[in-house]
Amino acid sequence: MIKETGKGRWKKALLPAGSILLTAIITAAAWYMINGWPIAGNLRQQAEQGKIQKVRITQKEETITITDPEQLRLAAGTAQLLRVSLPGAANEGEILETEYLFTFTDGSTMQIGVSEETILKDSRQYAPGGDKSSPDLFVKITNALFFLK
């Protein structure tokens, strides 16, 4: 009977693990290409934890500033609808249709906005990912939640 060395056991164990890892990487890449990446990260969670101080929302040259915790959660949730793919080839100096400027309790800010086919975050332009109509949905929800009188 041939005695198996420690190296042989590791090779036998790493082969299936490598296959699983490769499958996970391919699946994640395919998911990203289909669904896009959420640009707003965990804004809703930050709003629930009280880390967002205020949000200035501008739409069609009308601006409001919200500080109410419930309204901050709504704004953060609305921003989380946006999903992006890799940085797009959008025109520079594009006028945003709707823009959110989040101010956090630590003094930092995050700008998220959209124009027809472009999503902007902190002066970087992205092409929409996943559902390509997310910028239009973002504009409509913002209007319904914050600007209808």
Side-chain angles (χ1 to χ4, degrees), residues 15-124:
L15 186 61
S19 297
I20 291 170
L21 181 62
L22 181 61
T23 303
I25 290 170
I26 291 170
T27 303
W31 183 89
Y32 171 76
M33 294 176 104
I34 293 169
N35 295 307
W37 191 259
I39 196 164
N42 62 351
L43 271 178
R44 174 82 184 208
Q45 182 182 9
Q46 289 178 320
E48 289 171 353
Q49 294 172 350
K51 294 181 180 179
I52 299 176
Q53 181 179 11
K54 65 181 177 178
V55 180
R56 187 188 75 209
I57 302 172
T58 305
Q59 188 175 54
K60 298 178 186 170
E61 299 179 15
E62 189 176 344
T63 300
I64 62 167
T65 300
I66 58 174
T67 57
D68 176 62
E70 183 59 33
Q71 296 269 316
L72 292 173
R73 284 192 289 277
L74 285 172
T78 303
Q80 284 190 281
L81 292 172
L82 297 171
R83 295 185 170 275
V84 298
S85 60
L86 297 173
N91 297 330
E92 290 197 21
E94 202 163 338
I95 297 173
L96 297 175
E97 191 172 341
T98 301
E99 175 188 11
Y100 286 22
L101 181 63
F102 291 90
T103 303
F104 298 93
T105 53
D106 67 359
S108 63
T109 62
M110 178 191 300
Q111 176 195 30
I112 295 177
V114 300
S115 62
E116 289 184 27
E117 293 294 320
T118 303
I119 298 172
L120 182 109
K121 178 182 179 189
D122 294 331
S123 301
R124 289 197 60 180

